[in-house]
Amino acid sequence: MDLSKEKGLIEKAKKDPEAFGKIFDENYPKIFGYILKRVANLEIAQDVTSETFLKALKNLWKFRWRNIPFSAWLYRIANNEIANFFRKRKYKSVSLEKIPEPIAVSNPSIEIIEAQEKLKAHKDFLALQEKILRLPLKYQEVISLRFFEKKKIREIAEILGKKEGTIKSLLRRGLEKLREKFNATF
Amino acid sequence: MEEENLIKKLEEASLPEIEIPSHKRKLKRVLLNKYFREKRNWEIFNILRKVVPVGAIVIILIILISNNLIFPQYSLAKAKEIAIRDPQIKELIEKGAIIKDVKILQDKAYVLVQPLAGAEMEAEEIKTGLKTEGEFLGALAEVDLKEKKVSRIEKVTPQFSPLAEGEKEKAKEIAENNPEIRKIIPEEAEITKIMPVPFSQLRLIKEKNSVRVVPEQIKEKRVRIIYELNKNQWEGEIDLIEEKVGGVKFLGETEE
């Protein structure tokens, strides 16, 4: 979606829940995917994603357009929620259980088992992520956004609200630290 | 490990798109159902923030809360909550409808429930109370705020804008030139009816002593053309604004 279209949709979403629904549909896959790559756990990823979108809805009317994609704002909220999760390690999950599933088109538990299988099959990724998770959060964020989300330095700067130079040095130092973790293993 | 190797490893690391559709659906419904409450909270906060200085806010809040005025039972959120507790409304929401609009009139609230745009709901699917034939456009619930219950629910009457002769001709012309219609509907089939399609997106407006369902202020003009040949019927839907065919379907045989 181009920026001017997205700007219009966000203004509409402040008045119309359906427009908000469209924004959700557009952004859910990438935000869920990003959180899953960061936490490498399906249940936690679901909870953190729920919390991210609930925060986004709560703050939707505060959102001011800055000519950058709306997803950058969502990534930033997601980062805060991931940080909250790691800080507390005990996440108060949003209960979606109270909301009944409409006439079942799929079985949620089968979906989770299948997704779990898919995740487990990517051992290389999980091994790498396990090392990244040992780094301080500021390095985890830049490394994940740069390599897993394939974001440019400028985009990472927009998401994290930092200067491009800061991102470059965070990335450099993060890689150094990650390399040390690998070398310590061998 | 060398830095280049590490970068290569990171660049090559991938995870396929993993989705849990049931989580997505549930979360979307939770968000859409929280939408009006959050909007209302923001509006109240915004008004207070702009109009009243901080010290005064504290004093007014204390007075209003103690008098149960700031969160009156007539609030939109309260009306919505009462509506959602009603079994019929709950059933509609479970089937994919959302609360589209709420208006308060004295001690009554009016809650408009509609299917999400693009999601057609057949009225016959709705088990309780609203069982009628045809496309389900929405329901209007009257909430008694004193009794804290839904006092009446009625199916929304379709809203049409009449078709001018010129519009009928234009619809015919679009249909005649459409390859999909020409492919599906036999050339010998005759047009038996041309009728307007009801507005799909509705809202509520408050009048002096009543609340009325009106179409959203969007440009929408759709026409349904019914074709017939040897008791078989087809339907073509034409969008007169976009000047295109929205869909063609076989309706079955006409009843004797």
Side-chain angles (χ1 to χ4, degrees):
Chain A
M1 191 185 297
D2 68 47
L3 280 180
S4 63
K5 253 190 184 171
E6 193 177 55
K7 186 183 177 189
L9 188 61
I10 283 149
E11 285 315 309
K12 206 175 165 202
K14 292 180 181 180
K15 297 171 198 134
D16 177 7
E18 278 181 31
F20 181 76
K22 277 184 195 157
I23 293 173
F24 172 83
D25 288 338
E26 182 88 10
N27 289 286
Y28 175 91
K30 51 186 158 197
I31 296 300
F32 177 74
Y34 171 63
I35 294 170
L36 180 61
K37 284 171 203 151
R38 289 285 309 275
V39 299
N41 177 300
L42 277 164
E43 279 79 22
I44 297 167
Q46 287 181 77
D47 283 350
V48 177
T49 306
S50 301
E51 208 59 52
T52 299
F53 278 101
L54 285 165
K55 286 267 161 67
L57 174 65
K58 217 177 185 57
N59 293 294
L60 177 69
W61 292 273
K62 277 188 216 165
F63 176 81
R64 295 281 167 270
W65 183 258
R66 292 183 297 130
N67 238 16
I68 57 173
F70 185 73
S71 61
W73 186 62
L74 290 174
Y75 273 110
R76 188 188 283 202
I77 300 174
N79 275 333
N80 290 338
E81 289 308 312
I82 294 166
N84 278 344
F85 163 73
F86 285 126
R87 210 169 21 244
K88 292 176 193 164
R89 279 281 166 184
K90 189 182 167 200
Y91 209 75
K92 194 181 167 229
S93 65
V94 182
S95 174
L96 301 185
E97 298 311 314
K98 287 178 191 166
I99 307 294
E101 180 74 351
I103 308 308
V105 287
S106 57
N107 185 332
S109 52
I110 292 176
E111 279 175 11
I112 292 174
I113 294 165
E114 282 174 356
Q116 205 84 51
E117 292 303 318
K118 261 191 194 173
L119 184 61
K120 274 186 201 161
H122 286 73
K123 286 185 182 135
D124 287 351
F125 175 85
L126 292 174
L128 191 55
Q129 181 59 8
E130 196 257 326
K131 293 271 186 301
I132 295 172
L133 282 173
R134 293 188 202 171
L135 298 176
L137 274 176
K138 57 183 178 180
Y139 301 130
Q140 290 184 28
E141 286 171 354
V142 284
I143 290 175
S144 297
L145 287 167
R146 180 73 188 95
F147 295 103
F148 302 154
E149 298 300 299
K150 314 282 181 214
K151 298 282 179 200
K152 293 175 185 151
I153 299 290
R154 177 182 50 81
E155 292 171 316
I156 303 173
E158 286 167 357
I159 290 169
L160 299 176
K162 291 186 166 98
K163 288 179 183 162
E164 289 186 32
T166 313
I167 301 299
K168 280 181 194 163
S169 59
L170 278 172
L171 199 54
R172 197 171 49 244
R173 268 181 280 145
L175 287 172
E176 257 169 48
K177 288 194 179 289
L178 186 59
R179 197 157 60 94
E180 284 166 19
K181 301 269 179 220
F182 270 101
N183 291 339
T185 324
F186 297 115
Chain B
M1 184 188 279
E2 293 302 315
E3 192 174 315
E4 304 86 75
N5 291 342
L6 175 64
I7 290 175
K8 200 172 167 225
K9 205 174 169 70
L10 283 163
E11 279 171 347
E12 285 170 358
S14 70
L15 196 61
E17 254 191 31
I18 295 178
E19 279 205 13
I20 304 173
S22 58
H23 175 254
K24 184 182 174 187
R25 279 196 305 274
K26 274 188 179 182
L27 179 58
K28 187 174 180 181
R29 268 203 328 283
V30 170
L31 291 167
L32 292 177
N33 283 317
K34 273 181 181 272
Y35 181 91
F36 281 108
R37 194 165 61 199
E38 294 298 347
K39 187 169 185 261
R40 183 83 183 152
N41 287 347
W42 168 250
E43 282 164 358
I44 291 172
F45 172 74
N46 214 20
I47 291 166
L48 291 176
R49 195 179 56 134
K50 280 181 187 163
V51 177
V52 195
V54 180
I57 286 179
V58 176
I59 296 164
I60 290 168
L61 276 176
I62 294 167
I63 296 167
L64 292 182
I65 290 171
S66 62
N67 287 317
N68 194 24
L69 288 173
I70 194 161
F71 303 118
Q73 59 195 100
Y74 306 145
S75 71
L76 298 175
K78 191 84 189 164
K80 217 189 98 197
E81 266 179 49
I82 298 169
I84 287 173
R85 282 204 301 266
D86 181 85
Q88 289 182 56
I89 300 294
K90 200 173 162 191
E91 189 189 352
L92 291 172
I93 287 171
E94 281 168 14
K95 285 179 190 296
I98 60 162
I99 290 187
K100 190 70 193 296
D101 205 356
V102 185
K103 288 276 182 284
I104 308 278
L105 194 69
Q106 290 150 7
D107 54 357
K108 296 252 174 11
Y110 294 85
V111 179
L112 176 65
V113 182
Q114 268 209 288
L116 265 177
E120 279 187 14
M121 283 170 77
E122 292 296 324
E124 59 195 357
E125 282 180 13
I126 314 303
K127 287 180 208 147
T128 44
L130 301 164
K131 195 172 175 179
T132 46
E133 283 181 5
E135 195 181 336
F136 176 73
L137 293 168
L140 181 64
E142 185 188 78
V143 176
D144 188 324
L145 294 164
K146 275 188 180 165
E147 298 286 320
K148 292 184 183 169
K149 65 173 190 182
V150 172
S151 47
R152 191 158 49 104
I153 303 179
E154 57 191 39
K155 201 180 158 213
V156 166
T157 323
Q159 308 267 326
F160 300 99
S161 83
L163 277 183
E165 276 311 311
E167 288 172 325
K168 286 185 185 175
E169 288 307 316
K170 191 177 165 188
K172 269 196 218 171
E173 194 188 317
I174 295 169
E176 272 166 22
N177 294 323
N178 182 269
E180 201 187 346
I181 286 191
R182 284 162 63 177
K183 196 172 131 194
I184 295 172
I185 304 173
E187 211 175 319
E188 309 80 53
E190 277 185 15
I191 293 176
T192 54
K193 255 187 232 166
I194 301 180
M195 53 198 178
V197 174
F199 291 105
S200 59
Q201 294 310 302
L202 306 169
R203 67 190 172 100
L204 296 175
I205 55 160
K206 209 152 63 169
E207 290 180 333
K208 212 174 177 185
N209 292 314
S210 63
V211 166
R212 204 153 58 88
V213 179
V214 294
E216 281 267 28
Q217 284 166 322
I218 49 171
K219 246 184 160 185
E220 184 182 349
K221 189 104 195 186
R222 289 177 297 141
V223 176
R224 212 164 264 161
I225 304 182
I226 307 294
Y227 295 84
E228 206 173 308
L229 178 68
N230 301 332
K231 289 182 190 171
N232 288 324
Q233 278 194 330
W234 293 264
E235 178 193 288
E237 196 174 298
I238 314 294
D239 185 331
L240 285 180
I241 306 288
E242 300 271 328
E243 296 192 359
K244 65 177 188 185
V245 173
V248 195
K249 61 182 174 191
F250 177 59
L251 297 177
E253 283 196 10
T254 50
E255 284 176 20
E256 286 294 334

